Amino acid sequence: MHIHARRRRTAAAVLALAVLTTGAAACDSSATKSSGAEGSGGTLVFARTSRGVTDLNPTADELATNNAYTLDKIFEPLVELQKNGDIKPLLAKSYKVADDGRSWTFTLRDGVTFSDGSALDSADVVYTLERHLEHGGALPLSAPITAVTASDARTVVVRLSRPYAPLLADLATFANVILPKDLDGRTEKEFFNNPVGTGPFTLSSWDRTTGEITLAANKTYWQGEPAVDKVEFTVVDDDNQLLQQLQAGQVDVIDSVPAANVAQLRANPDVKVTVSDSWQQGLLAFNTADGAFKDVHLRRAVAAALDRKAIAKATTYDTAAPATTFLPSSIRFSAQDTKILGYDPATARAELAKSQHSGGLSTTLIVENSATSQTQQAQVVQAALAKIGVKVKIETLDSTTFWTRFGKRDYDLAVTWAISDTGDPSNLVNWQLLPDAADSYHTGYHNSEVTKLAAQGVAATDDTKRAEIYAQIQQIAADDVPTVPLTYIPTITATRSDVHGLVVLPNGTTRLRDVTRK
């Protein structure tokens, strides 16, 4: 799921899972090398609102969003997430899965080189996947892989102990980008301070103090040199400054437009605003392991006291949709017909009466001070719960303090967000509902039936069966309420009007290889 202390999300893709039962091959018939986009070159200034880049190691134990969304411009995976959630071959030109679903064969493209000119071959892929299996890191490779071998210089075979439906989705993430074998003989520190990848950009400069980083076009990129010469990633942590700099032409791209400012930017002819589907959700999290919210009836009372439609309208200016399940509607097997505890004050009071706090209680809610919509949601939650006798004190924290406390489960209630790294439901199930993955997103939730169903969900090779399994999981989560999904949040990106070709992916990252300025 997207990255917090690892990254805020958990979350790639609509899989062609029929191949598990048919054994059919998937391939990309496009030309190996394109001519590159025509444009004016120059520098693209990309402003981000969260902290700067601190690490380019894809298997680091802690990996912030900006780290992941920078290294994926330098390195590339075997298969690639598309804007619509599909997965297509990238460094692999094709793949084939065995009839029993227990081995996948990837055939590499010819003519792919790293930025230092060395050729990509199967030894690099074997090394990378084995390294990830050993290191784990922020987004572990959880497939039941028993061996990764090279049949020849162009062929890699991944063997599994049992079928694993999300394998392609996992391989498409930033954590499985392909590195040169043995890191070119350098130490990890040496290599990731000056990395070599197959991607469209290379590292030009990096200010470790501010985290601001500049990438240069890879002139030997196998799909053709990018049209822009450089990409400067800057950090602007004030929304007003961010908007002013975009409108003044000081920056070219901002990737997190505040919902309240969408109309203002759309009125500016020098600016383009794009609202894209994403795998992100806003949510209210409970500490289900310690304190009052161990009581499921109290959690259910809170869920029924919240009007999600009103929350979406009031705090996101109608840019976000009210949420139902913890799986956003754009994710495969999201069961939007799940019976949730919708807004019903009578039910809220009845559930409160069943709880150990039937007379009400006082509690504390934490929220980040940098997120306007979330602080507004915290206030709405506070007002709604007061009506059923739950008094909420809001603690507005800086981002570092918030994620430290949330990660240690040092809270009662928390308004926050999550985003899936992949479009397979297993990603958010693992991240939000299983105790082994970040303590069920720092809620402490555990349900043995969910754990059992989750294992069945990744092993099933039939889409109908998978849909049934994930529908069951979503219903259990709706009944147990470890979190209240509040909104499904789109990605709102703004660029100068002369920027073309920017691709925004549903997991929150942007693809820059085809960007032009004209």
Side-chain angles (χ1 to χ4, degrees):
M1 161 191 124
H2 223 78
I3 333 172
H4 296 320
R6 71 147 200 127
R7 183 179 121 233
R8 298 178 210 194
R9 54 189 167 63
T10 168
V14 178
L15 297 175
L17 292 176
V19 295
L20 281 171
T21 55
T22 64
C27 63
D28 181 3
S29 60
S30 62
T32 300
K33 191 177 183 76
S34 70
S35 61
E38 293 182 1
S40 60
T43 299
L44 185 78
V45 182
F46 195 128
R48 292 164 163 172
T49 54
S50 53
R51 62 180 176 168
V53 177
T54 58
D55 198 340
L56 294 174
N57 181 351
T59 58
D61 290 335
E62 294 186 2
L63 197 60
T65 301
N66 283 350
N67 296 348
Y69 291 170
T70 302
L71 67 87
D72 67 355
K73 316 296 186 281
I74 299 171
F75 306 105
E76 296 175 312
L78 289 172
V79 291
E80 178 181 65
L81 174 66
Q82 305 298 303
K83 184 176 181 179
N84 65 357
D86 289 344
I87 295 177
K88 291 186 177 181
L90 185 62
L91 296 182
K93 69 178 180 182
S94 65
Y95 60 84
K96 185 175 182 178
V97 61
D99 291 343
D100 64 1
R102 295 187 180 187
S103 70
W104 293 69
T105 301
F106 296 87
T107 302
L108 302 183
R109 291 186 187 276
D110 296 322
V112 178
T113 62
F114 289 96
S115 57
D116 64 356
S118 60
L120 171 77
D121 65 22
S122 57
D124 302 308
V125 178
V126 172
Y127 167 78
T128 298
L129 297 184
E130 288 183 340
R131 177 181 180 274
H132 192 184
L133 289 168
E134 179 182 353
H135 283 62
L139 189 60
L141 185 55
S142 55
I145 296 174
T146 57
V148 182
T149 58
S151 302
D152 55 48
R154 315 307 308 155
T155 309
V156 175
V157 179
V158 178
R159 291 185 171 82
L160 310 172
S161 61
R162 59 186 182 278
Y164 183 78
L167 180 65
L168 286 184
D170 287 359
L171 292 179
T173 69
F174 69 88
N176 288 300
V177 292
I178 303 304
L179 311 172
K181 182 182 178 182
D182 298 326
L183 302 181
D184 274 348
R186 291 183 278 167
T187 66
E188 287 199 352
K189 182 177 180 180
E190 290 170 340
F191 180 83
F192 291 113
N193 277 338
N194 189 21
V196 172
T198 66
F201 295 94
T202 62
L203 179 63
S204 176
S205 64
W206 185 1
D207 185 330
R208 266 68 170 186
T209 301
T210 65
E212 296 189 338
I213 196 166
T214 298
L215 304 182
N218 179 357
K219 296 183 181 302
T220 62
Y221 182 49
W222 62 275
Q223 293 197 77
E225 181 182 352
V228 294
D229 299 323
K230 289 185 178 182
V231 180
E232 291 182 1
F233 288 107
T234 65
V235 178
V236 182
D237 58 10
D238 179 86
D239 285 346
N240 290 329
Q241 287 277 331
L242 191 73
L243 298 169
Q244 289 170 12
Q245 290 186 26
L246 177 70
Q247 295 186 94
Q250 295 172 280
V251 303
D252 302 305
V253 183
I254 59 176
D255 65 352
S256 54
V257 177
N261 300 105
V262 170
Q264 170 195 346
L265 291 181
R266 280 181 168 158
N268 186 335
D270 295 324
V271 172
K272 291 188 300 186
V273 177
T274 303
V275 179
S276 308
D277 286 340
S278 84
W279 298 328
Q280 184 176 356
Q281 62 179 292
L283 58 89
L284 175 69
F286 298 98
N287 180 345
T288 71
D290 307 299
F293 292 101
K294 291 175 65 174
D295 190 323
V296 66
H297 292 293
L298 182 57
R299 301 197 301 269
R300 288 172 60 84
V302 170
L306 300 179
D307 186 340
R308 304 184 205 191
K309 290 182 179 179
I311 289 172
K313 185 176 182 63
T315 66
T316 73
Y317 297 83
D318 283 331
T319 60
T324 52
T325 84
F326 68 95
L327 290 181
S329 55
S330 54
I331 286 183
R332 203 164 197 232
F333 307 132
S334 173
Q336 290 298 300
D337 58 351
T338 300
K339 295 179 181 178
I340 67 169
L341 285 157
Y343 178 54
D344 187 338
T347 296
R349 288 190 289 270
E351 288 289 345
L352 185 67
K354 295 177 186 178
S355 77
Q356 297 177 2
H357 303 274
S358 56
L361 74 155
S362 296
T363 189
T364 301
L365 181 153
I366 62 172
V367 65
E368 282 184 272
N369 61 9
S370 60
T372 302
S373 63
Q374 289 171 23
T375 56
Q376 291 173 342
Q377 287 168 9
Q379 293 165 4
V380 173
V381 169
Q382 181 186 51
L385 298 191
K387 295 178 181 178
I388 63 169
V390 177
K391 298 179 180 179
V392 176
K393 176 185 176 183
I394 298 174
E395 289 188 52
T396 306
L397 309 172
D398 65 84
S399 293
T400 300
T401 304
F402 176 88
W403 290 109
T404 298
R405 287 186 53 181
F406 187 57
K408 292 180 178 179
R409 211 184 332 110
D410 179 17
Y411 72 97
D412 299 321
L413 298 167
V415 169
T416 187
W417 62 279
I419 185 169
S420 181
D421 289 303
T422 81
D424 192 88
S426 60
N427 185 252
L428 280 177
V429 169
N430 290 347
W431 187 248
Q432 292 192 223
L433 299 180
L434 300 187
D436 291 341
D439 192 23
S440 299
Y441 199 34
H442 315 305
T443 64
Y445 174 73
H446 176 63
N447 182 302
S448 58
E449 181 66 14
V450 168
T451 301
K452 181 177 74 174
L453 288 168
Q456 294 173 6
V458 296
T461 59
D462 177 76
D463 280 2
T464 301
K465 180 62 175 177
R466 293 195 83 205
E468 292 173 355
I469 291 168
Y470 288 109
Q472 292 180 62
I473 291 174
Q474 288 168 83
Q475 189 60 63
I476 293 171
D479 293 339
D480 285 355
V481 204
T483 66
V484 180
L486 299 174
T487 58
Y488 295 145
I489 306 170
T491 299
I492 308 177
T493 306
T495 68
R496 298 292 296 175
S497 58
D498 65 343
V499 175
H500 305 277
L502 182 76
V503 176
V504 181
L505 300 177
N507 65 358
T509 191
T510 51
R511 189 159 290 148
L512 306 179
R513 67 186 180 220
D514 294 321
V515 168
T516 62
R517 302 291 304 276
K518 55 184 177 180

